[in-house]
């Protein structure tokens, strides 16, 4: 069984928590779910393969079905393609399901893909035991950050609107460490790439 060592949590304050968006206009109709989709690609996909020790969580706070969370696990997921439309179709099929209405926690909807109705709370329960980090432009540079050398880690990344105050408070209360990837602000998916690269350099 593959051990999940890297977890990326993308907090989409307005990202739609249902399948009610257009594949031909994901940025304009999904509350910027497209940001999370690009983070899935950045976190999981490598040349000719998938990072089996990595999982990505999209916390979805937009629309009448919010909050919900979508989890994609590299150890089990199949047929993940790098183009945004394919990822949007994968997410839309998962979000059309209602297994999460059966009770708390994550519920599998297809291999490697699960949904939960509790939003950030369900994600925090799922990543329990990991060392937590928050991507913050005022944090410690990732190149100097301790704890990235092989243990279980979880990184929380905001969308273009940043973190909402309640999420920030929850993460701070859990001891999440603020880190940054460099002196220049970059897109969320690039943050994920840079964090992955730093861990790769330390553990390869």
């Amino acid at each position: 069984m593959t051990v999940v060592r890297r977890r990326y949590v993308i907090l989409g304050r307005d990202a739609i928590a249902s399948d009610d968006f257009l594949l031909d206009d994901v940025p304009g109709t999904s509350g910027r779910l497209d940001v999370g989709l690009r983070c899935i690609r950045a976190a999981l996909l490598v040349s000719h393969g998938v990072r089996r020790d990595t999982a990505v969580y999209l916390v979805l706070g937009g629309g009448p079905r919010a909050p919900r969370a979508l989890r994609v696990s590299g150890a089990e997921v199949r047929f993940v393609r790098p183009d945004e439309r394919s990822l949007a179709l994968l997410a839309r099929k998962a979000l059309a399901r209602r297994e999460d209405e059966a009770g708390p926690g994550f519920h599998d909807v297809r291999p490697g893909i699960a949904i939960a109705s509790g939003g950030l709370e369900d994600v925090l329960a799922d990543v329990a035991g990991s060392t937590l980090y928050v991507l913050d432009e005022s944090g410690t540079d990732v190149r100097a950050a301790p704890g990235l050398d092989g243990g279980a880690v979880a990184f929380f990344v905001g969308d273009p609107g940043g973190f909402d105050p309640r999420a920030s408070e929850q993460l701070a209360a859990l001891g999440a460490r603020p880190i940054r990837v460099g002196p220049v602000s970059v897109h969320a998916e690039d943050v994920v790439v840079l964090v992955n690269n730093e861990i790769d350099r330390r553990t390869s």
Side-chain angles (χ1 to χ4, degrees):
M1 181 177 179
T2 301
V3 176
V4 180
R5 299 192 182 278
R6 308 183 197 187
R7 295 175 170 89
Y8 292 93
V9 183
I10 316 304
L11 280 74
R13 298 176 67 169
D14 300 313
I16 195 164
S18 72
D19 60 331
D20 189 22
F21 60 89
L22 300 177
L23 292 178
D24 291 330
D25 185 16
V26 179
T29 62
S30 70
R32 299 311 308 271
L33 176 64
D34 59 300
V35 173
L37 299 177
R38 289 195 293 274
C39 288
I40 291 174
R41 178 195 56 74
L44 293 182
L45 297 185
V46 294
S47 182
H48 306 296
V50 175
R51 293 182 185 272
R52 298 297 175 187
D53 67 344
T54 302
V56 185
Y57 301 78
L58 305 186
V59 179
L60 309 173
R65 295 192 65 191
R68 294 175 93 193
L70 176 70
R71 183 184 68 200
V72 184
S73 301
E76 301 171 347
V77 73
R78 303 174 184 172
F79 311 118
V80 179
R81 298 175 180 173
D83 64 287
E84 191 171 308
R85 184 183 177 89
S86 294
L87 292 170
L89 181 59
L90 180 151
R92 192 166 78 166
K93 288 180 177 178
L95 292 172
R97 306 285 290 270
R98 294 181 175 270
E99 277 86 340
D100 55 320
E101 295 178 358
F106 280 90
H107 299 263
D108 294 330
V109 296
R110 58 185 295 182
I113 301 177
I115 53 176
S117 60
L120 181 58
E121 284 70 23
D122 277 342
V123 172
L124 291 172
D126 211 55
V127 305
S130 301
T131 301
L132 307 184
Y133 298 87
V134 174
L135 273 296
D136 184 332
E137 292 178 0
S138 64
T140 301
D141 193 294
V142 67
R143 294 188 175 181
L148 303 182
D149 301 323
V153 287
F155 302 92
F156 292 78
V157 183
D159 68 3
F163 293 98
D164 68 65
R166 183 169 181 270
S168 294
E169 291 172 3
Q170 285 180 283
L171 293 170
L174 291 170
R177 306 173 183 181
I179 60 171
R180 62 185 174 92
V181 295
V184 177
S185 179
V186 297
H187 294 291
E189 65 267 27
D190 296 324
V191 168
V192 173
V193 169
L194 290 169
V195 172
N196 261 343
N197 181 257
E198 180 63 24
I199 299 174
D200 289 344
R201 288 174 176 273
R202 296 192 190 193
T203 59
S204 297

